[in-house]
Amino acid sequence: MPRCSNSLLGILNFLTLLLSIPIIAGGIWLAKQSNTECERFLEKPVIVLGAFLLLVSLAGLIGSCCRVSWLLWVYLLVMFLLIVLLFCFTIFAFVVTNKGAGEALAGKGYKEYRLGDYNTWLQKRVNKNWPRIRSCLQDSQICKHLIEQGATPLGQFNKETLSALQSGCCKPPDECKFTYVTPTNWTGTAGSTNPDCTAWSNDQKVLCYNCQSCKAGLLDNIKSDWKKEAILNIIVLVFLIIVYSIGCCAFRNNREDNAWKRYP
C-alpha cells in the first residue's frame, strides 16, 4: 500500500503538472499574437517557466508514485536549489527596494519622481534597457487618459491623482515652470536646468518618455511590485519547504522499500 508521503507528493505534482499546461499554452499564444515589443519580451520566459514546471512535476510524480529513487533525488535537488534561489531573490528584492519615493507637492494631487532617489542597480538596469522599455510604455498608452482630457482647467488638473508613470512620462516636471495649456501640452521657456525640461515635447508620441522622471516613475512601480512579490515569495517559500519535506519522506520511503526488496 502506498505510503502517505508518496501519495501526497504525487497529488501535489499532478496538480502542478496540470498548471504547467495552460502556462505553456499561454506562452505559445503570446508568441503567435505578439505585435509589440512588450509582448515579445514576455513570451519566452512564460514558455520556459511552463516547461520547467512540467519537467519538475513529471520527475516528482514518477519518482514518488513509481518509486524511482534516482528521479526523486533529482527532483529534491532541483527543489532545494529553487528554495535557495527564491530565498536569495527575496532578500535581494527587499534590499534594492529600500529607498526611493515620490515627492509630494504643495497643492497638487500628484507626486513627482527623481531617478537619483532610487537604488543604483535598478537605475543601471533601466538605463541599459530603456529603448525597449520606452517602446513598451508607448504601446501601453499610459498617457491616453490625460490626452483625452483636452482643455481641462489647471485647477482641476492639479487635483488629479496621477500614477507614478503618468506623472513622470506624460507631463514635464513642475520645476520647468512651463505654461499649462492642456495636461499634455505645455508652452514657454524652461525655468530650470533639469535636463527633463529640454527632453519634454508636446508631440503626443514623445511627451516625456525620454525624461529621467519617466524612468523614476517606472522604478517607483517596480519598487512597489517587487515588495509585493517579495511578500508573495515568502508564502511560496513556506509552501516549497513543506513540499520538500514531504519529498524527503517519500525519498526515505523509496530507499527503505528498495532495501527490503534487496534483502528479503
Side-chain angles (χ1 to χ4, degrees):
M1 183 175 179
R3 306 226 184 161
C4 180
S5 56
N6 291 68
S7 301
L8 184 55
L9 187 65
I11 292 171
L12 289 173
N13 280 285
F14 179 71
L15 293 175
T16 307
L17 182 110
L18 292 178
L19 177 64
S20 69
I21 294 173
I23 292 176
I24 294 174
I28 295 172
W29 179 83
L30 272 178
K32 292 182 177 180
Q33 299 293 322
S34 59
N35 295 312
T36 69
E37 190 67 25
C38 286
E39 292 169 330
R40 286 190 289 273
F41 179 72
L42 286 173
E43 65 193 35
K44 290 182 180 178
V46 170
I47 294 174
V48 170
L49 174 62
F52 174 78
L53 285 176
L54 178 64
L55 292 175
V56 172
S57 301
L58 279 173
L61 186 63
I62 296 172
S64 59
C65 295
C66 299
R67 306 300 180 92
V68 182
S69 295
W70 71 268
L71 201 55
L72 196 55
W73 184 88
V74 172
Y75 171 79
L76 290 174
L77 177 63
V78 172
M79 287 291 291
F80 176 76
L81 293 176
L82 184 60
I83 290 171
V84 172
L85 287 173
L86 193 59
F87 176 78
C88 292
F89 174 76
T90 302
I91 298 299
F92 177 74
F94 277 116
V95 170
V96 298
T97 58
N98 68 344
K99 57 183 294 189
E103 178 187 355
L105 302 174
K108 305 291 175 68
Y110 53 82
K111 296 180 179 180
E112 293 211 326
Y113 304 84
R114 299 177 185 276
L115 185 61
D117 293 341
Y118 295 86
N119 181 270
T120 304
W121 183 86
L122 287 177
Q123 290 183 46
K124 290 179 180 178
R125 298 299 299 173
V126 167
N127 284 325
K128 181 179 179 181
N129 296 285
W130 188 246
R132 174 181 290 182
I133 295 171
R134 181 180 58 213
S135 172
C136 289
L137 293 176
Q138 290 170 330
D139 289 337
S140 67
Q141 298 183 323
I142 58 171
C143 299
K144 183 179 179 181
H145 169 67
L146 295 181
I147 293 172
E148 291 176 345
Q149 280 187 323
T152 303
L154 178 59
Q156 181 179 333
F157 173 72
N158 286 337
K159 295 177 182 178
E160 287 278 346
T161 304
L162 306 180
S163 68
L165 283 172
Q166 286 177 325
S167 178
C169 306
C170 306
K171 68 170 193 61
D174 274 32
E175 64 180 283
C176 295
K177 306 297 182 184
F178 287 139
T179 301
Y180 174 85
V181 180
T182 70
T184 56
N185 190 343
W186 302 71
T187 61
T189 305
S192 169
T193 57
N194 187 334
D196 285 358
C197 299
T198 55
W200 166 261
S201 171
N202 284 324
D203 185 335
Q204 304 299 286
K205 295 182 180 179
V206 180
L207 299 176
C208 221
Y209 287 115
N210 294 314
C211 295
Q212 300 297 303
S213 62
C214 189
K215 297 176 183 178
L218 175 71
L219 285 182
D220 197 77
N221 267 20
I222 291 175
K223 175 186 174 181
S224 176
D225 291 342
W226 276 32
K227 281 195 171 181
K228 293 174 184 176
E229 179 71 22
I231 294 172
L232 178 62
N233 284 350
I234 293 174
I235 298 172
V236 173
L237 269 172
V238 173
F239 174 75
L240 288 179
I241 290 171
I242 292 173
V243 173
Y244 181 77
S245 301
I246 296 171
C248 289
C249 292
F251 181 69
R252 184 186 62 191
N253 292 342
N254 284 5
R255 295 192 65 179
E256 290 177 354
D257 290 345
N258 290 336
W260 279 106
K261 289 176 183 178
R262 284 198 301 268
Y263 305 105

